[in-house]
């Protein structure tokens, strides 16, 4: 079974997919996250500072990496989201601006003025959306959609706000309906989510939910979630071998 863990930003997709893989034994796709792609796509920049062209580069890069892993694991996998996430991420930034944090004051339904850059960005995202939807429709059997019930993670990699999250969540569910892909909404703690998902698809647990959550915590801790400023500062620090010897 090809399962996508769907949900808006900071809904817990990455952690839940890690825990579910440990819990059921189904392999997890390994496409890099946007935070991991950012340093090579736009060195030294935060997501708020990226141009439309840089965002498109990251969106396409992650889509391609997703497609490669999905093909390798076509007998069955668990995916942290899908290419719909990247398409919606770009599409909502058309409505709320390349830096959504700057438009956080807008009321529900309000959008920013479309600059020539945003008009271009919208045209590209519409075309990419057609391709991404076809890909997802052919690559997934079902989605587990995580209820938008967790606070936004302040990790410096998500220039989003509640309006962005709510809009993304609504578009995700509408698109899954449009594509005819079955999806089930689950909620609760990670352990509760694991039990709900296993029950939905008759998946046999390989360990306790607590053990799966612990292993996911260890795996998640290996992700590099530093801000670009922290990465830059670390890169400038001289290696220990290059530092002047300390006189004893």
């Amino acid at each position: 079974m090809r399962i996508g863990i769907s949900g808006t930003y900071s809904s817990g997709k990455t952690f839940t997919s890690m825990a579910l893989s440990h819990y059921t034994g189904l392999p997890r796709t390994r496409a890099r996250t946007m935070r991991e792609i950012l340093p090579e796509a736009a060195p030294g920049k935060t997501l708020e500072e990226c141009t439309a062209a840089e965002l498109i580069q990251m969106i396409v890069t992650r889509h391609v990496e997703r497609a490669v892993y999905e093909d390798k694991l076509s007998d069955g996998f668990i995916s942290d989201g899908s290419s719909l996430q990247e398409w919606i991420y770009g599409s909502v930034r058309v409505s709320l601006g390349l830096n959504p944090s700057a438009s956080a004051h807008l009321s529900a339904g309000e959008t920013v003025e479309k600059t020539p850059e945003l008009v271009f960005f919208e045209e590209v995202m519409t075309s990419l959306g057609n391709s991404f939807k076809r890909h997802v429709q052919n690559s997934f059997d079902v989605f587990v959609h995580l209820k938008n019930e967790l606070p936004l993670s302040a990790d410096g990699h998500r220039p989003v706000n509640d309006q962005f999250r709510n809009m993304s969540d609504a578009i995700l569910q509408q698109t899954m309906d449009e594509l005819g892909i079955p999806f089930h909404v689950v909620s609760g703690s990670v352990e509760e989510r694991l039990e709900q998902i296993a029950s939905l698809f008759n998946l046999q647990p390989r360990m306790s939910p607590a053990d799966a959550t612990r292993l996911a915590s260890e795996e998640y801790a290996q992700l590099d979630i530093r801000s670009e400023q922290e990465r830059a500062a670390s890169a400038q620090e001289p290696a220990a071998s290059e530092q002047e010897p300390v006189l004893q």
Side-chain angles (χ1 to χ4, degrees):
M1 180 173 285
R2 302 170 299 177
I3 304 172
I5 305 299
S6 173
T8 191
Y9 302 94
S10 282
S11 61
K13 296 186 299 299
T14 300
F15 193 89
T16 299
S17 67
M18 289 176 174
L20 185 62
S21 180
H22 290 297
Y23 189 56
T24 65
L26 278 173
R28 186 174 69 88
T29 59
R30 300 284 177 169
R32 289 178 299 165
T33 63
M34 293 286 269
R35 75 188 68 175
E36 293 170 304
I37 297 170
L38 177 62
E40 68 181 37
K45 286 189 175 183
T46 64
L47 283 173
E48 293 97 330
E49 297 168 333
C50 288
T51 64
E54 289 165 338
L55 289 172
I56 292 167
Q57 177 190 178
M58 287 186 283
I59 287 168
V60 172
T61 297
R62 192 167 194 212
H63 165 68
V64 170
E65 292 188 2
R66 284 188 185 279
V68 169
Y69 279 102
E70 289 160 8
D71 183 66
K72 288 180 178 179
L73 301 173
S74 57
D75 289 339
F77 59 73
I78 295 166
S79 176
D80 172 6
S82 72
S83 295
L84 293 180
Q85 307 283 159
E86 280 68 66
W87 164 65
I88 290 171
Y89 180 77
S91 299
V92 175
R93 289 182 80 150
V94 170
S95 299
L96 300 182
L98 294 179
N99 177 7
S101 297
S103 61
H105 62 282
L106 294 178
S107 302
E110 284 190 293
T111 60
V112 299
E113 181 181 353
K114 285 185 183 176
T115 63
E117 184 179 26
L118 280 179
V119 171
F120 162 75
F121 192 38
E122 181 177 34
E123 291 174 353
V124 173
M125 294 315 304
T126 298
S127 294
L128 286 178
N130 294 331
S131 176
F132 286 13
K133 288 178 186 179
R134 288 193 299 269
H135 169 77
V136 169
Q137 197 168 34
N138 293 327
S139 302
F140 288 83
D141 298 314
V142 67
F143 278 102
V144 172
H145 190 76
L146 304 181
K147 187 176 180 181
N148 183 13
E149 60 186 351
L150 300 177
L152 179 63
S153 176
D155 62 5
H157 290 273
R158 296 176 174 90
V160 295
N161 48 58
D162 284 335
Q163 183 176 199
F164 192 106
R165 296 176 76 201
N166 294 336
M167 188 181 297
S168 300
D169 193 68
I171 297 174
L172 263 174
Q173 296 191 59
Q174 292 167 6
T175 304
M176 287 186 286
D177 271 336
E178 172 193 328
L179 298 179
I181 302 175
F183 71 94
H184 306 267
V185 179
V186 301
S187 62
S189 67
V190 175
E191 294 181 10
E192 290 170 337
R193 290 175 176 183
L194 296 181
E195 293 177 328
Q196 290 175 55
I197 296 168
S199 177
L200 282 169
F201 308 125
N202 295 315
L203 299 174
Q204 186 63 40
R206 299 180 59 183
M207 61 185 68
S208 70
D211 284 341
T213 301
R214 175 182 55 79
L215 290 173
S217 295
E218 294 173 359
E219 186 177 359
Y220 194 86
Q222 301 304 310
L223 294 177
D224 186 352
I225 60 173
R226 293 174 299 168
S227 69
E228 296 313 298
Q229 289 81 3
E230 290 171 328
R231 285 196 180 107
S234 178
Q236 291 174 0
E237 291 178 358
S241 60
E242 297 174 350
Q243 295 177 353
E244 294 183 4
V246 177
L247 297 178
Q248 299 292 333

